[in-house]
Amino acid sequence: MTPNNLPLIIAGPMLRHCDNDHFTLWFVSRELLPELQLELTQAAPQPTSLFTQALTPEQVTISPLGQHAYQYLIHVHQPALIPSHESINYQVFSNNSELFAKLEGLNYDEQSRPNFFIKPTIEHLLHGSCRNAHHHSGDALVAADTQLSQDLSLSARPSLLMMSGDQVYVDDIAGPMLFAIGKVIELLGLNDEELDAQLLCHSKQISYHPAAMYQRHKKLLPHTEYPANTALGRWYRNHPVFTSSLAENHLVSLSEIMALYLLTWSPELWQLIDIPKDVAGLSPKLTQRWQQEWQHLLEFKAGLHQVRRLLAHLPTYMIFDDHDITDDWNLTAKWEEAAYRHRFSKRIIGNALIGYTLFQALGNAPDAFKTEIMPKLSQFLSNYDEATHDSLIDDLLKFEHWHYQLNTSPKLVVLDTRTNRWRSESNLAKPSGLMDWEALMDFQQQLVGEDKVIIVSAAPIFGVKMIETVQRVGTAVGASLLVDAENWMAHPGTANTLLSIFQHRKTPQQFVILSGDVHYSFAYDIRIRFRKGGPRIYQITSSGIRNQFPEKLLPCFDKLNGWLYGHFSPLNFFTKRKRMSIRGRMPNGARSQRLVNKSGIGHVFFAENGEPTDIRVLHADMSTTQFEPPRSKR
């Protein structure tokens, strides 16, 4: 395993923001590439060149990740660059040599180059969240690729893929994955950094030997703790910094974050790494855990060629949720106070945010980062000194344009529910609102004048009321972090303002909300009580792409929710959403079930007026769950 064995293209290509006026492509190479040229070709009825030019420095953002890793983001912005509803082939050349020609399994049958379609009117799309590499469930992105390979026609091609959070789990890393991360850091020469930790002062001191794993929550992560001021304080301690129950291998350095992203998307890197199944230095219990995780990662690795092929053929958009940074990120004001006042925990959070910026955010809306962030990010990547590092983290923590929108029909609005929190004024330990008043007012302005809209919210706006009740009880006894009390209705200000937006007569008459986060799937039809006419609101939750809720627990919540908070239950009139009539759709016609606990990716079809006509989840085993409308609507 040496740099000489590295392929030229380490990860990608991945299509990002693409429409009639934009083409955005992401990939990582082992070396700097001279004289880049982009070629876009309309495939039918006969090959026609749309764009064949040498790329200028303004059109290519190069981010040096290490000695043998350079991230490229190609972003061409030109009016009427790409026609709608036509098959478009693309290729990138360096010194007249095709960069992607030798990538194994990149193209579908009988194709010589990857292709895509621009479909400004969203007829159907894919959406999902929560892709945990070492989870025991299958990878739904592999299933999506298999489905796409069966029909490559215009009508069968989704308009886009929306990944609505937890694309990586920075706070939940398998032991074999951490071992692989250490090998990738060494192989690619990813940059080191100074750390202000109690037991180490430099990332070079981090050990990736199996015997050193599963201990970071005890020996490495900051331990700023305070006891809960309740009866639960005897057995529960509220960790204000890193609250994940699976934080034994929580990533800390920027090079670890970069390696995780590359391993999440790159089949080539896995082929260069040999992870042992049998290791020394672990207890019998941890040895068994290592071997289980090793097996699950083998299954994950096996599907990466298909995942890359899917992402090379569908414009893909992303937004963060908590695990992209750390569990319970900004959940309470008290968490924020503890996390950002501690120098090491702030660095850990900041490193994850730098990683998100590089690998996810830049591809969503490249122009939003050009002025404020890119000059400072480029300066930092060219000069890894501690002062520049801390300054960049400060700038990212203050950045206010993580949200974005797409000029599609229906208009697609992606919300930032993490960095503009409405903090509790009564108790700093209570959950913050997912968006503050100013952010909600900006959101409302984006809706005015639209007749139909698709909203992407990482967390469901209308959750499972029984689970929200458990979270509310947990909050009341001081255990908001323990029960992950994070929902739109947890904060009165956010809840009331949001519900008022839906009821405002100048906002759209057709809302579709796409969400994830919860590790199970469901769909709601929502109306405003005591009002004739609109708006018509549909919420479609699809989670996770490779994750699931605890299997024995969810059926209990499903039944209790149906008994206590069903459509006709008077208890609904004691909730914040009492003005809303919420009907759960039936998965595959099941009369008493509303929640589906099986890894999958959502596939939603839309009518011309923006109403969803077909709501389904494609599971990793290629089975399908279809959410059928309530019986009263048939």
Side-chain angles (χ1 to χ4, degrees), residues 217-218 221-228 235-245 247 326-332 334-336 338-339 478-482:
H217 63 306
K218 296 179 181 179
L221 298 181
H223 276 257
T224 307
E225 299 181 352
Y226 58 90
W235 63 274
Y236 168 69
R237 293 182 67 83
N238 208 351
H239 304 254
V241 183
F242 299 107
T243 62
S244 173
S245 60
T326 189
D327 193 21
D328 295 331
W329 181 34
N330 295 342
L331 192 149
T332 69
K334 199 164 190 177
W335 186 99
E336 293 187 57
S480 57
L481 299 178
L482 177 67

Side-chain angles (χ1 to χ4, degrees), residues 549-561 595 597:
F549 202 81
E551 283 83 353
K552 295 182 179 180
L553 191 58
L554 191 66
C556 299
F557 281 134
D558 197 359
K559 290 181 180 179
L560 287 171
N561 189 72
L595 309 181
N597 191 22

Side-chain angles (χ1 to χ4, degrees), residues 295-402:
Q295 182 61 44
H296 298 325
L297 285 174
L298 280 186
E299 297 163 359
F300 175 78
K301 164 189 169 182
L304 285 179
H305 280 99
Q306 285 190 256
V307 172
R308 176 173 63 186
R309 185 170 66 173
L310 176 74
L311 300 180
H313 288 78
L314 277 184
T316 301
Y317 300 86
M318 307 175 187
I319 190 63
F320 48 42
D321 203 11
D322 54 348
H323 295 290
D324 296 281
I325 309 300
T326 189
D327 193 21
D328 295 331
W329 181 34
N330 295 342
L331 192 149
T332 69
K334 199 164 190 177
W335 186 99
E336 293 187 57
E337 181 181 28
Y340 298 126
R341 287 188 177 182
H342 195 292
R343 184 176 175 84
F344 186 36
S345 61
K346 182 180 178 182
R347 170 65 66 85
I348 294 171
I349 295 166
N351 282 340
L353 199 52
I354 293 172
Y356 171 79
T357 304
L358 278 168
F359 292 92
Q360 298 195 57
L362 290 180
N364 294 325
D367 291 338
F369 296 85
K370 278 187 175 180
T371 303
E372 291 185 54
I373 299 300
M374 280 312 303
K376 299 173 182 177
L377 181 59
S378 298
Q379 179 187 2
F380 164 67
L381 293 174
S382 301
N383 179 22
Y384 257 63
D385 69 87
E386 188 173 7
T388 308
H389 199 157
D390 290 338
S391 177
L392 175 62
I393 289 173
D394 288 336
D395 291 332
L396 290 175
L397 290 173
K398 293 183 290 186
F399 188 64
E400 297 182 345
H401 301 289
W402 302 109

